[in-house]
Amino acid sequence: MYYGFDLGGSKIEVGVFDADMRSVWQKRVPTPRNDYDALLSAFVALTQEADALTGKLGTVGVGIPGMRGGDDGALFTANLPATMGKPLQVDLQRLLQRDVRMTNDANCFALSEAWEGEFRQYPVVLGLILGTGVGGGLVINGEVIDGRNGITGEFGHFRLPVDALDIMGEGIPRVKCGCGQSGCIENYISGRGFEWLYAHTYGENLNAVTIIRHYRAGEANALAHVDRYMSVLAACVGNLLTMFDPHLLVLGGGLSNFDEIYQFLPARLPEYLLPVARLPRIEKARYGDAGGVRGAALLHFSAQ
């Protein structure tokens, strides 16, 4: 049996899957945000409950809201104080007496999608999350690529390309990012960035749902804004496609539900690609919120 844990700022969710990746059992408990020992105890309790339910010692994979920094496995989880700087993987392996595999939750999203039945045919899968921020993961032949520092999927911290600056204007503010740098693309193409760009241009604070509703009603500012945003998005995504050359691009996060993206993005991307480049297949994520636990469970499944 395969156990996948999705560790978040408010909840720990476990999903149990059989050999065909069919969901057998799921459970959520609140995350002890400021108590590391309590958080470890929660993992142990959930694992023991799953073991008792299945009658087996299942494999354990964990998706974390951050990354493993350095050679000692200490976590960088800015929004989860309990695990910041802690060797969570090492401690869980000691307590659970089994191999524990761990990666960023966005990597779990990408892995879950790459192992979707219809998508398994693609050797290189790029997952891109357009939510509050921008993140994602790279999966090659069914395996997550973590990289030297576990930051392979931190696409949101690429800097704005010159094409995006041309579209938005050279005077566009270089927004300060939570990473400490300025000009990271997530501040412009995320859901939050979509709203910021509208407010910057038109001086009115509207949420994404309202802007999209205005767009579909034919309101002039919203039409111009979506046109501008889609060009900026294409310029940024074009760099990712040139770097990784995926066969499949899967979009997740709130803006992935803006269905017009799947018309506009393929139409605009060729302008930002090499002349010989063929577009990947571009699809909306199949698993949504369930992808986290499923992808974490697949950290073991895919390695076999």
Side-chain angles (χ1 to χ4, degrees):
M1 304 299 283
Y2 301 90
Y3 305 167
F5 286 86
D6 185 11
L7 173 61
S10 60
K11 53 83 179 173
I12 302 172
E13 181 174 0
V14 62
V16 174
F17 299 86
D18 66 16
D20 296 315
M21 288 308 295
R22 291 180 298 224
S23 178
V24 173
W25 179 72
Q26 285 185 280
K27 185 173 181 176
R28 291 183 177 189
V29 298
T31 301
R33 286 183 50 80
N34 298 290
D35 188 332
Y36 185 59
D37 288 337
L39 185 140
L40 291 174
S41 295
F43 268 96
V44 170
L46 287 169
T47 303
Q48 290 175 342
E49 189 171 353
D51 287 345
L53 176 75
T54 63
K56 301 178 183 295
L57 296 180
T59 62
V60 174
V62 182
I64 58 169
M67 63 200 76
R68 288 174 290 133
D71 295 325
D72 60 359
L75 300 190
F76 181 83
T77 51
N79 297 317
L80 185 53
T83 54
M84 188 69 164
K86 302 292 193 203
L88 180 61
Q89 184 175 11
V90 172
D91 288 338
L92 287 178
Q93 288 185 150
R94 172 177 52 82
L95 292 168
L96 299 177
Q97 292 295 293
R98 66 194 82 180
D99 178 30
V100 173
R101 296 181 184 171
M102 185 174 293
T103 191
N104 180 270
D105 49 14
N107 285 338
C108 292
F109 153 77
L111 187 61
S112 177
E113 295 299 325
W115 278 81
E116 198 276 333
E118 143 180 33
F119 295 160
R120 290 189 192 183
Q121 62 182 300
Y122 298 111
V124 182
V125 176
L126 186 67
L128 181 64
I129 299 172
L130 302 174
T132 303
V134 170
L138 177 66
V139 179
I140 298 179
N141 294 325
E143 299 285 347
V144 162
I145 305 302
D146 259 334
R148 170 69 176 85
N149 299 291
I151 59 174
T152 300
E154 295 293 335
F155 308 133
H157 300 291
F158 282 31
R159 303 296 185 270
L160 281 169
V162 292
D163 294 311
L165 291 173
D166 289 343
I167 295 161
M168 295 186 289
E170 287 289 343
I172 195 77
R174 308 303 195 266
V175 178
K176 186 79 169 178
C177 184
C179 74
Q181 302 292 335
S182 297
C184 294
I185 64 172
E186 78 168 16
N187 291 302
Y188 304 87
I189 66 170
S190 64
R192 175 171 43 84
F194 181 83
E195 295 169 353
W196 177 89
L197 187 58
Y198 185 93
H200 172 75
T201 306
Y202 301 109
E204 185 179 11
N205 291 310
L206 298 178
N207 62 37
V209 172
T210 300
I211 296 168
I212 291 169
R213 185 172 69 247
H214 289 180
Y215 166 79
R216 289 172 175 162
E219 194 273 326
N221 285 349
L223 288 171
H225 170 69
V226 168
D227 181 72
R228 184 182 306 108
Y229 170 83
M230 291 295 177
S231 292
V232 172
L233 180 64
C236 294
V237 172
N239 280 351
L240 297 178
L241 299 189
T242 299
M243 179 172 290
F244 300 114
D245 196 19
H247 300 81
L248 171 69
L249 172 64
V250 182
L251 301 182
L255 280 180
S256 71
N257 296 313
F258 183 23
D259 289 338
E260 285 83 346
I261 282 181
Y262 304 96
Q263 302 165 16
F264 286 124
L265 196 55
R268 298 186 190 209
L269 276 169
E271 181 179 351
Y272 305 104
L273 300 176
L274 290 168
V276 298
R278 290 179 295 169
L279 287 177
R281 180 177 176 181
I282 302 175
E283 293 286 344
K284 184 189 297 187
R286 298 288 197 260
Y287 289 96
D289 291 342
V293 292
R294 186 174 183 275
L298 280 163
L299 290 172
H300 282 271
F301 189 85
S302 63
Q304 296 190 354

